[in-house]
Amino acid sequence: MMLKIPERKHSTAVVYSSAKEDEPGKRKMSRRTFILSLIGGAVAVPAVLGSYARWLEPAWLQDRELTCYLDRLPPSFDGLRIAHISDLHYRNQGGIGEVERLLERVLAKQPDIICLTGDAVDRRLDNRTSESEFVRVLSRFRAPLGQYAVLGNHDYSRGEDLATRLLHEAGFDVLTNTNRVLEARGAKLALAGIDDALDGSPDLNQALAGIPSGTCCVLLAHEPDVADWTLGHEVDIQLSGHSHGGQMRVPFIGPVLLPQLGEKYPDGKYILSRQASDAPLHTPLTLYTSRGSGTSLLPLRFYCPPEWTMITLRVVAV
């Protein structure tokens, strides 16, 4: 008798894997590689931003154009074009090449007046060669109605005026607490300037002395926040610099650091109303604060490129 051995059924084993097999051509990133990549990015980003702030943006000179309507501007001066330059800071890292580049931009626009609102130099020039080089280039800034300047805090060193002589030699009329009255077809426009408010001896009353009452007046003042003093005087527009717009700005936040008397009105155009009943004028004061073309302290700019501005004065339409 034969015994029939039953057939054995083969069971199928199912193997579960906790990880998918690598796709062809792809390699897994190890934890060590991932961490090293993060570290590399953390080092590279500041290095790139630092290089940009040091070498690229400070050289990115902007040509701004601005129209300002003034209630008291005589029709004879309607359309007057003022080249507003500020804060050259000659010899603070930058050299004469930056001033020459600014010169070319300004002269190409053919302004009627050139106004420099302080900090022409940054420290004592170390030799006569540096002085003569600076005067040579600065003397090429020319406009039909003249070149005017005021001093800034960096134009002084321990109370010593470093800039007035050089500016005079270059053909600039330095308005230290004084004014000039321009005339065109019987109408007048006053151009006044005050000494630096931090290191000089500013006297706004003296600066405006002798200007006929009712005359439209442009004031040059290095520090923009002195506009709060200016509101109490017969001034229609104030041009300033000093703050550099903050020089280093954080997007959506603003300047990292602002200087004294450059904190309230650090950058751009402001229209300030005169609300006091005893104010000499009841028309607003226009203030423009330039970012300047140079740098101070550190030769860095971020989100705040250097500039010069062509300001056109216009009569308010009635």
Side-chain angles (χ1 to χ4, degrees):
M1 183 176 184
M2 296 181 64
L3 296 177
K4 188 177 181 180
I5 301 173
E7 296 181 3
R8 298 181 59 185
K9 295 183 178 179
H10 298 281
S11 60
T12 302
V14 179
V15 179
Y16 295 93
S17 174
S18 61
K20 293 182 180 179
E21 292 185 8
D22 292 345
E23 295 180 21
K26 289 190 176 181
R27 297 179 60 188
K28 288 183 180 180
M29 178 182 287
S30 68
R31 181 180 179 185
R32 181 172 182 272
T33 302
F34 178 70
I35 292 175
L36 289 175
S37 297
L38 287 180
I39 294 173
V43 171
V45 170
V48 170
L49 293 179
S51 297
Y52 170 82
R54 173 63 183 93
W55 302 109
L56 296 181
E57 189 161 307
W60 186 20
L61 181 64
Q62 304 291 289
D63 300 355
R64 274 191 175 181
E65 297 210 8
L66 179 70
T67 299
C68 294
Y69 291 88
L70 304 181
D71 292 85
R72 303 196 305 163
L73 183 70
S76 301
F77 289 98
D78 186 37
L80 184 78
R81 289 155 55 84
I82 301 175
H84 179 201
I85 61 178
S86 194
D87 297 84
L88 278 61
H89 288 279
Y90 177 57
R91 300 303 292 173
N92 180 49
Q93 306 296 328
I96 203 64
E98 283 77 3
V99 184
E100 290 179 319
R101 181 180 53 159
L102 175 64
L103 169 73
E104 293 171 0
R105 298 281 192 90
V106 171
L107 295 186
K109 296 288 186 177
Q110 299 180 324
D112 300 305
I113 297 177
I114 296 174
C115 293
L116 168 58
T117 53
D119 284 357
V121 298
D122 194 87
R123 56 187 172 84
R124 184 190 302 277
L125 302 187
D126 47 14
N127 54 58
R128 286 296 300 174
T129 301
S130 295
E131 289 187 356
S132 61
E133 181 181 60
F134 183 59
V135 170
R136 175 183 60 80
V137 175
L138 209 62
S139 63
R140 293 171 57 200
F141 282 90
R142 287 292 179 267
L145 298 182
Q147 309 77 232
Y148 304 88
V150 292
L151 301 184
N153 55 308
H154 286 268
D155 292 318
Y156 286 95
S157 176
R158 298 180 181 177
E160 181 185 357
D161 178 352
L162 304 178
T164 297
R165 176 178 59 83
L166 300 177
L167 289 166
H168 280 156
E169 289 180 10
F172 275 75
D173 190 352
V174 182
L175 302 177
T176 302
N177 300 327
T178 190
N179 65 77
R180 302 289 180 261
V181 177
L182 310 178
E183 295 192 23
R185 297 192 294 276
K188 293 180 171 62
L189 175 69
L191 187 63
I194 61 170
D195 199 2
D196 180 68
L198 292 174
D199 292 333
S201 301
D203 189 331
L204 192 49
N205 289 324
Q206 182 180 332
L208 302 176
I211 298 176
S213 181
T215 302
C216 184
C217 182
V218 179
L219 176 69
L220 309 183
H222 182 61
E223 286 84 4
D225 291 1
V226 305
D228 289 342
W229 312 344
T230 307
L231 284 169
H233 295 78
E234 282 195 60
V235 174
D236 298 85
I237 180 171
Q238 175 182 313
L239 305 182
S240 298
H242 182 55
S243 66
H244 298 206
Q247 198 167 297
M248 299 287 289
R249 300 171 68 96
V250 178
F252 309 111
I253 296 177
V256 175
L257 183 66
L258 290 168
Q260 184 181 0
L261 291 181
E263 299 169 297
K264 194 171 182 180
Y265 311 112
D267 180 30
K269 180 181 177 182
Y270 302 87
I271 303 295
L272 309 181
S273 61
R274 292 179 165 97
Q275 299 177 344
S277 58
D278 60 346
L281 295 178
H282 295 289
T283 55
L285 169 67
T286 299
L287 165 65
Y288 185 75
T289 305
S290 172
R291 292 178 178 177
S293 60
T295 58
S296 180
L297 301 180
L298 296 175
L300 304 173
R301 278 187 180 270
F302 186 79
Y303 207 57
C304 189
E307 69 171 32
W308 75 276
T309 308
M310 180 66 80
I311 299 173
T312 302
L313 303 186
R314 300 306 303 265
V315 174
V316 174
V318 179

Short mmCIF file of all heavy atoms in Angstrom, two decimals, residues 237-258:
data_model
loop_
_atom_site.label_atom_id
_atom_site.label_comp_id
_atom_site.label_asym_id
_atom_site.label_seq_id
_atom_site.Cartn_x
_atom_site.Cartn_y
_atom_site.Cartn_z
N ILE A 237 11.68 126.83 2.28
CA ILE A 237 12.21 125.48 2.05
C ILE A 237 13.58 125.37 2.69
O ILE A 237 14.39 126.31 2.61
CB ILE A 237 12.27 125.14 0.53
CG1 ILE A 237 12.83 123.73 0.31
CG2 ILE A 237 13.06 126.18 -0.24
CD1 ILE A 237 12.71 123.25 -1.13
N GLN A 238 13.84 124.25 3.35
CA GLN A 238 15.14 123.98 3.97
C GLN A 238 15.76 122.76 3.31
O GLN A 238 15.12 121.72 3.15
CB GLN A 238 14.97 123.73 5.47
CG GLN A 238 16.27 123.32 6.18
CD GLN A 238 16.06 123.04 7.65
OE1 GLN A 238 15.42 123.82 8.36
NE2 GLN A 238 16.60 121.92 8.13
N LEU A 239 17.03 122.88 2.94
CA LEU A 239 17.79 121.77 2.38
C LEU A 239 18.84 121.33 3.39
O LEU A 239 19.59 122.16 3.91
CB LEU A 239 18.46 122.19 1.06
CG LEU A 239 17.54 122.77 -0.02
CD1 LEU A 239 18.34 123.09 -1.28
CD2 LEU A 239 16.40 121.82 -0.34
N SER A 240 18.90 120.03 3.64
CA SER A 240 19.80 119.49 4.66
C SER A 240 20.41 118.18 4.21
O SER A 240 20.07 117.63 3.16
CB SER A 240 19.03 119.27 5.98
OG SER A 240 18.52 120.49 6.49
N GLY A 241 21.33 117.67 5.05
CA GLY A 241 21.99 116.38 4.82
C GLY A 241 22.17 115.68 6.14
O GLY A 241 21.24 115.43 6.87
N HIS A 242 23.42 115.35 6.47
CA HIS A 242 23.84 114.90 7.81
C HIS A 242 23.49 113.45 8.14
O HIS A 242 24.35 112.69 8.59
CB HIS A 242 23.26 115.83 8.87
CG HIS A 242 23.65 115.50 10.28
ND1 HIS A 242 24.96 115.39 10.70
CD2 HIS A 242 22.88 115.26 11.39
CE1 HIS A 242 24.98 115.11 11.99
NE2 HIS A 242 23.75 115.01 12.42
N SER A 243 22.25 113.04 7.93
CA SER A 243 21.80 111.73 8.43
C SER A 243 22.20 110.57 7.52
O SER A 243 22.19 109.42 7.94
CB SER A 243 20.28 111.72 8.59
OG SER A 243 19.67 111.85 7.32
N HIS A 244 22.51 110.86 6.26
CA HIS A 244 22.82 109.83 5.25
C HIS A 244 21.66 108.88 5.03
O HIS A 244 21.84 107.78 4.51
CB HIS A 244 24.06 109.02 5.63
CG HIS A 244 25.31 109.83 5.75
ND1 HIS A 244 26.56 109.29 5.56
CD2 HIS A 244 25.52 111.14 6.02
CE1 HIS A 244 27.48 110.24 5.73
NE2 HIS A 244 26.87 111.37 6.00
N GLY A 245 20.46 109.29 5.47
CA GLY A 245 19.31 108.41 5.36
C GLY A 245 19.39 107.22 6.30
O GLY A 245 18.57 106.31 6.26
N GLY A 246 20.38 107.25 7.17
CA GLY A 246 20.63 106.12 8.07
C GLY A 246 21.84 105.33 7.64
O GLY A 246 22.45 104.62 8.42
N GLN A 247 22.17 105.40 6.35
CA GLN A 247 23.33 104.72 5.74
C GLN A 247 23.17 103.21 5.73
O GLN A 247 23.41 102.56 4.71
CB GLN A 247 24.63 105.12 6.43
CG GLN A 247 25.89 104.82 5.61
CD GLN A 247 27.13 105.49 6.15
OE1 GLN A 247 27.23 106.72 6.20
NE2 GLN A 247 28.09 104.69 6.58
N MET A 248 22.78 102.62 6.83
CA MET A 248 22.49 101.18 6.91
C MET A 248 21.03 101.05 7.34
O MET A 248 20.67 101.43 8.45
CB MET A 248 23.41 100.49 7.91
CG MET A 248 24.88 100.58 7.57
SD MET A 248 25.34 99.53 6.17
CE MET A 248 25.20 97.90 6.91
N ARG A 249 20.20 100.50 6.44
CA ARG A 249 18.77 100.37 6.73
C ARG A 249 18.35 98.90 6.65
O ARG A 249 18.85 98.14 5.82
CB ARG A 249 17.94 101.19 5.75
CG ARG A 249 18.24 102.68 5.77
CD ARG A 249 17.53 103.40 4.64
NE ARG A 249 16.10 103.42 4.80
CZ ARG A 249 15.42 104.42 5.34
NH1 ARG A 249 16.06 105.50 5.77
NH2 ARG A 249 14.12 104.37 5.46
N VAL A 250 17.42 98.53 7.51
CA VAL A 250 16.84 97.18 7.49
C VAL A 250 15.51 97.27 6.74
O VAL A 250 14.66 98.09 7.10
CB VAL A 250 16.61 96.65 8.91
CG1 VAL A 250 15.97 95.27 8.86
CG2 VAL A 250 17.93 96.60 9.67
N PRO A 251 15.32 96.47 5.68
CA PRO A 251 14.06 96.53 4.94
C PRO A 251 12.84 96.39 5.86
O PRO A 251 12.83 95.55 6.76
CB PRO A 251 14.17 95.34 3.98
CG PRO A 251 15.64 95.15 3.78
CD PRO A 251 16.26 95.49 5.10
N PHE A 252 11.83 97.25 5.62
CA PHE A 252 10.56 97.27 6.37
C PHE A 252 10.71 97.75 7.81
O PHE A 252 9.73 97.85 8.53
CB PHE A 252 9.89 95.90 6.36
CG PHE A 252 9.76 95.29 5.00
CD1 PHE A 252 10.50 94.17 4.65
CD2 PHE A 252 8.93 95.86 4.05
CE1 PHE A 252 10.40 93.61 3.39
CE2 PHE A 252 8.82 95.30 2.78
CZ PHE A 252 9.55 94.19 2.44
N ILE A 253 11.93 98.04 8.23
CA ILE A 253 12.14 98.53 9.61
C ILE A 253 12.68 99.95 9.59
O ILE A 253 12.13 100.84 10.23
CB ILE A 253 13.08 97.59 10.39
CG1 ILE A 253 12.43 96.21 10.55
CG2 ILE A 253 13.44 98.19 11.75
CD1 ILE A 253 13.29 95.19 11.24
N GLY A 254 13.77 100.17 8.84
CA GLY A 254 14.32 101.51 8.76
C GLY A 254 15.78 101.56 9.17
O GLY A 254 16.46 100.53 9.23
N PRO A 255 16.27 102.77 9.47
CA PRO A 255 17.69 102.96 9.79
C PRO A 255 18.11 102.22 11.05
O PRO A 255 17.37 102.14 12.02
CB PRO A 255 17.81 104.48 9.98
CG PRO A 255 16.63 105.06 9.29
CD PRO A 255 15.54 104.06 9.43
N VAL A 256 19.33 101.69 11.00
CA VAL A 256 19.90 101.02 12.17
C VAL A 256 20.31 102.05 13.21
O VAL A 256 20.09 101.87 14.42
CB VAL A 256 21.13 100.17 11.76
CG1 VAL A 256 21.81 99.57 12.98
CG2 VAL A 256 20.71 99.07 10.79
N LEU A 257 20.89 103.16 12.75
CA LEU A 257 21.40 104.19 13.66
C LEU A 257 21.32 105.54 12.97
O LEU A 257 21.64 105.66 11.80
CB LEU A 257 22.86 103.88 14.05
CG LEU A 257 23.54 104.82 15.04
CD1 LEU A 257 22.85 104.70 16.41
CD2 LEU A 257 25.02 104.49 15.16
N LEU A 258 20.88 106.55 13.72
CA LEU A 258 20.79 107.91 13.19
C LEU A 258 21.55 108.87 14.10
O LEU A 258 21.59 108.69 15.32
CB LEU A 258 19.33 108.35 13.08
CG LEU A 258 18.50 107.66 12.00
CD1 LEU A 258 17.02 107.95 12.19
CD2 LEU A 258 18.96 108.08 10.62
#
